Amino acid sequence: MANIFPPNTNKRFYGIAALVALAAAFVLGGIYYVNFSIPEYEPVQPVRFSHKLHAGDLKMSCTACHSAAQRSSRAGIPDTKSCLGCHQHILPDSPLIAPLREAADPQYPGYTGEPVRWVMVNRLSGHAYFNHMAHLNRGIGCTSCHGDVAGMERIRAPRDARMQWCLDCHRNPAPHLRPLEETASSRYSAADYLRTHSIRDGEGKSIQTPLQLGNFLKRQWKIQPKTDCTACHH
Ligand code: HEC
Ligand code: HEC
Ligand code: HEC
Ligand code: HEC
Ligand code: HEC
């Protein structure tokens, strides 16, 4: 009977070389994937809504539109009706506002009632659990995770919203903690906060630096984010 795989050293050499090449490709591919292949995601939206204008120039707080974030796991996208509260009066005839009126203004000749289909930007795959409320009620602000949204014309997803990013903060939360009334501020700086507020720790010592403030809040609220697998993977 013919041997299908004769003990041929040459062939074996090629086999091993192919395996080594494959392993190298995996390792390099892995490094490439982790370091470079998570581009910032900035999709075009069906309405040219600008956070820079609304949260930046007009100084609306993040929870003016995403109020669900403080009481549920999701932050939610505002209903188009809430936009018309202003846009019935502000630029109602602008072509940029027309899609909002088509969706939610029954008086508008082009009314369809079809909701605006915003493109989702931040989304974890199904196997990790995330909760907005658990962060906002414990001193982590929107901009700590989503970046300077009030400076963005169009929303960009954080480049590294991966497990390592969650864990880095869970292991060392103090530098990110801020007073609870500041978690939904569109712009927060601990240094500015300390210039306008005088805060003393338990022993009456004045708090001077952002890190002292973070460490103080961590102790005062007994902040201890979990790092065991089951905290985020059920
Ligand atoms: C006037 C209402 C309004 C305000 C104020 C506002 N947002 Fe939004 N936000 C929206 C709308 C509408 C969308 C969906 C369209 C888009 O992505 O631009 C959105 C989308 C987002 C998204 C992306 C959601 C996704 O798909 O992943 C993030 C993150 C976000 N907002 C954060 C913030 C933060 C942080 C602030 C405060 C600095 C803020 N928003 C203030 C209306 C608002
Ligand atoms: C608190 C009032 C207010 C709310 C609520 C509000 N806007 Fe605005 N919006 C403004 C103002 C003010 C402007 C700038 C008007 C100007 O340029 O003169 C504006 C401008 C815009 C423009 C640009 C219009 C143009 O022709 O330049 C768009 C698009 C827009 N808003 C979408 C939205 C959407 C979508 C929502 C709901 C998620 C929303 N706005 C909620 C006040 C508001
Ligand atoms: C600790 C980090 C963190 C903080 C703080 C945070 N977010 Fe998020 N946000 C995320 C992550 C992660 C997702 C994706 C969640 C998912 O896919 O389950 C997300 C999703 C969103 C979305 C998409 C839709 C939804 O309903 O979840 C919006 C809008 C949003 N965040 C707005 C905000 C606003 C506004 C604040 C402050 C009030 C805020 N976020 C605070 C990490 C954060
Ligand atoms: C603080 C939250 C958190 C903790 C704690 C955590 N994970 Fe994750 N994990 C995540 C997130 C977020 C992702 C990415 C989900 C996605 O891709 O959208 C992830 C992804 C993963 C993946 C998929 C591969 C990857 O890297 O994307 C595996 C496997 C995993 N985690 C295992 C673990 C194990 C084992 C532990 C305990 C040692 C652990 N995780 C602890 C949040 C966490
Ligand atoms: C900037 C800091 C920061 C980031 C980034 C962050 N977290 Fe957290 N997380 C915290 C803090 C602070 C708490 C509150 C801990 C407490 O209550 O003692 C918390 C609490 C949680 C909880 C509730 C369980 C617990 O530990 O008490 C979950 C679940 C969680 N985080 C998941 C995630 C996931 C998943 C991500 C990434 C997608 C993430 N977190 C990113 C700071 C962060």
Side-chain angles (χ1 to χ4, degrees):
M1 206 173 90
N3 192 341
I4 316 170
F5 298 109
N8 178 322
T9 42
N10 239 345
K11 270 195 185 159
R12 189 177 291 165
F13 171 78
Y14 284 127
I16 289 169
L19 274 183
V20 168
L22 200 66
F26 260 110
V27 170
L28 290 176
I31 292 170
Y32 180 77
Y33 178 74
V34 168
N35 284 333
F36 310 108
S37 79
I38 313 166
E40 281 193 341
Y41 181 47
E42 187 179 355
V44 175
Q45 295 288 351
V47 176
R48 210 165 78 202
F49 173 77
S50 164
H51 278 84
K52 186 166 186 287
L53 173 71
H54 293 84
D57 303 345
L58 298 177
K59 296 194 167 60
M60 293 177 73
S61 98
C62 304
T63 44
C65 294
H66 302 284
S67 60
Q70 280 165 325
R71 42 187 165 72
S72 70
S73 65
R74 299 219 147 260
I77 301 294
D79 190 327
T80 313
K81 281 202 198 80
S82 70
C83 312
L84 291 182
C86 283
H87 284 291
Q88 253 168 1
H89 314 289
I90 297 170
L91 299 176
D93 300 320
S94 161
L96 297 181
I97 298 300
L100 302 177
R101 297 184 67 192
E102 282 164 20
D105 177 2
Q107 315 302 326
Y108 185 66
Y111 175 71
T112 61
E114 279 288 310
V116 176
R117 299 202 187 283
W118 304 106
V119 182
M120 289 303 291
V121 186
N122 295 271
R123 187 170 290 167
L124 300 175
S125 64
H127 58 260
Y129 170 74
F130 180 79
N131 187 326
H132 276 90
M133 187 172 75
H135 292 90
L136 291 165
N137 295 343
R138 300 291 276 164
I140 303 291
C142 314
T143 55
S144 308
C145 294
H146 291 294
D148 182 23
V149 168
M152 295 177 195
E153 281 296 344
R154 206 157 76 199
I155 284 281
R156 285 190 299 279
R159 203 177 143 67
D160 44 4
R162 298 269 147 171
M163 183 159 111
Q164 195 55 45
W165 171 68
C166 315
L167 288 175
D168 284 347
C169 182
H170 275 216
R171 293 197 177 112
N172 182 24
H176 307 281
L177 294 172
R178 47 172 105 170
L180 290 183
E181 76 270 19
E182 294 291 336
T183 53
S185 302
S186 49
R187 291 225 156 94
Y188 167 79
S189 126
D192 288 348
Y193 187 84
L194 288 170
R195 266 194 281 281
T196 49
H197 297 73
S198 124
I199 303 175
R200 293 181 181 282
D201 67 11
E203 284 125 41
K205 272 206 347 239
S206 167
I207 285 173
Q208 302 287 349
T209 69
L211 191 56
Q212 282 171 351
L213 178 61
N215 283 323
F216 168 64
L217 294 175
K218 181 170 183 289
R219 277 197 311 278
Q220 197 186 30
W221 295 334
K222 300 189 170 59
I223 298 287
Q224 212 161 22
K226 296 190 180 116
T227 50
D228 54 296
C229 316
T230 53
C232 308
H233 303 288
H234 296 312

